[in-house]
Amino acid sequence: MGLDPLGLEFDSYSVPEVTDELRQQTGPSYRLAISSSSGKLRIQAPTTLSLSEVAERARVLGDKVVLSKADIGVIALALDLSREGKRPVIVSDDYAVQNVADGLNLVYQSLATFGIRQRFNWVYYCPACFRRNPTGDLEVCQVCGTKLKRKPLGKQRAKRN
Ligand SMILES: [Zn+2]
């Protein structure tokens, strides 16, 4: 949909089904090819465990009929990545994708707001005493001196402008 992984400051992932969906479109598939050959985009198949978990959750939520194989694959891959300790952010404007992601406690952003740093709602927190730093302009915890970590604020509906 126009997202350029080369412009991102973090690793991006996609699933083989997305490559298949983009095959007939010159622009997106060209960006996909360049990005994956440069190592900025990893094409990775989700585990069958995550695939069935996502399909089951989608069925419960009633969203399964509107999700494509690629949609389910992307959510399942995010589930795999979060199990590896990463903090994936699913980029999709699809309400069904966002709804299922939300049901699995996965963070998502709509394409319109993704990658725009100031709109990214980071929360800074102390990994030792879990205090939040509301201003986000300190590097260490004021209580215990531990270096702060940050994570995208989840469970928030992305709003279109
Ligand atoms: Zn602390």
Side-chain angles (χ1 to χ4, degrees):
M1 290 180 69
L3 178 67
D4 184 0
L6 287 177
L8 302 175
E9 55 183 284
F10 25 71
D11 293 335
S12 49
Y13 293 78
S14 196
V15 295
E17 285 80 5
V18 170
T19 321
D20 297 340
E21 280 190 359
L22 292 180
R23 194 152 285 161
Q24 281 141 357
Q25 308 167 38
T26 347
S29 71
Y30 176 74
R31 272 197 298 272
L32 191 79
I34 298 287
S35 303
S36 49
S37 66
S38 73
K40 285 288 274 184
L41 177 71
R42 282 177 234 186
I43 308 296
Q44 189 175 319
T47 60
T48 48
L49 175 76
S50 290
L51 278 174
S52 57
E53 201 173 323
V54 171
E56 172 60 16
R57 185 59 59 103
R59 190 188 63 76
V60 170
L61 292 169
D63 287 318
K64 195 176 178 183
V65 279
V66 292
L67 290 178
S68 69
K69 264 190 91 173
D71 292 335
I72 292 175
V74 165
I75 303 168
L77 181 58
L79 204 54
D80 285 335
L81 294 173
S82 67
R83 286 203 178 100
E84 291 170 16
K86 296 187 174 71
R87 297 185 175 279
V89 178
I90 297 172
V91 183
S92 178
D93 288 331
D94 187 315
Y95 177 72
V97 170
Q98 296 180 349
N99 195 35
V100 175
D102 199 52
L104 291 160
N105 285 318
L106 294 165
V107 178
Y108 60 82
Q109 289 250 306
S110 73
L111 189 64
T113 58
F114 183 73
I116 302 170
R117 196 188 300 239
Q118 52 271 40
R119 291 215 190 114
F120 220 125
N121 293 308
W122 293 107
V123 55
Y124 289 78
Y125 68 100
C126 172
C129 69
F130 300 106
R131 269 170 219 275
R132 285 189 174 192
N133 171 11
T135 59
D137 53 23
L138 295 167
E139 286 193 0
V140 295
C141 175
Q142 279 191 297
V143 177
C144 70
T146 306
K147 193 172 189 301
L148 296 175
K149 288 191 163 190
R150 70 174 188 175
K151 60 181 177 182
L153 195 58
K155 295 235 151 208
Q156 246 202 359
R157 296 266 172 235
K159 291 187 177 68
R160 286 161 196 260
N161 287 339

